[in-house]
Amino acid sequence: MDKMVEARIEADPSLPVIRMTRDFATTPERLFRAHTDPELFAKWVGPDNTTTRIDRWDARTGGSWRYVSVVRGVEYGFHGCFHEVRPDRVVQTFTFEGEPEGVALETMWFEDLGDGRTRLRTQSLVDSIESRDGILRSGMEVGINDGYAKLDGMLSDGTA
């Protein structure tokens, strides 16, 4: 199995779906915690020039969340609901408040690769092919890869 240190981001050719895959040098339990603990999540999510404030975070099945990303003094809000939270999978909705009519259904899978490595697979279902393509053109890969690089550092220095 190949080791992926950059997120592989792919659009389904016939569905409004974005899939990502990324490997981490950690256990599934630690990677799950980094995605569900609000203090840890706020430290790594987003591009390098971003700070994140958690307004609401209840990472359990039926819970909800809201956070604000701040870039050069400008705030961008995001919110959603946790549909299902379990150690091997998180299912949640995701809405960028700048486009409140757009709601994505996101699923994350934490797969144990052995030897202290975990593969994170995600799938985001949006409302149309046009929305999917707009998200892909937004530069999302910068935020994803910057955030995961910060998370790699936190996992290796023991802060996550």
Side-chain angles (χ1 to χ4, degrees):
M1 190 175 299
D2 295 331
K3 181 179 178 183
M4 286 175 263
V5 293
E6 292 275 326
R8 184 175 65 213
I9 301 170
E10 303 171 310
D12 188 294
S14 59
L15 298 171
V17 169
I18 299 170
R19 293 186 180 95
M20 293 187 294
T21 307
R22 171 69 152 74
D23 292 349
F24 292 89
T26 192
T27 63
E29 293 80 13
R30 287 182 70 200
L31 192 59
F32 172 80
R33 184 170 170 259
H35 282 80
T36 56
D37 180 300
E39 291 181 25
L40 294 177
F41 182 80
K43 290 179 181 174
W44 66 261
V45 72
D48 289 341
N49 63 346
T50 302
T51 59
T52 299
R53 179 185 76 238
I54 303 292
D55 286 345
R56 180 179 63 250
W57 194 271
D58 184 9
R60 61 184 171 91
T61 299
S64 64
W65 58 270
R66 181 177 192 272
Y67 69 85
V68 175
S69 295
V70 182
V71 181
R72 292 183 286 277
V74 179
E75 295 188 349
Y76 301 92
F78 304 87
H79 69 268
C81 297
F82 290 105
H83 179 76
E84 179 180 45
V85 178
R86 62 182 207 207
D88 65 332
R89 184 174 101 148
V90 173
V91 181
Q92 65 183 21
T93 58
F94 180 95
T95 297
F96 168 49
E97 295 174 355
E99 296 183 23
E101 67 283 353
V103 180
L105 178 62
E106 299 182 337
T107 304
M108 294 178 267
W109 293 271
F110 305 91
E111 298 176 1
D112 190 349
L113 299 176
D115 297 328
R117 295 183 320 117
T118 301
R119 178 160 292 161
L120 175 66
R121 290 188 306 112
T122 68
Q123 175 176 285
S124 296
L125 172 65
V126 297
D127 65 342
S128 68
I129 297 287
E130 292 77 21
S131 293
R132 178 202 68 194
D133 292 346
I135 292 168
L136 291 170
R137 284 190 306 267
S138 72
M140 67 176 278
E141 72 279 0
V142 173
I144 296 289
N145 285 311
D146 282 0
Y148 287 159
K150 286 183 276 185
L151 179 55
D152 274 339
M154 293 170 61
L155 291 165
S156 67
D157 71 13
T159 57

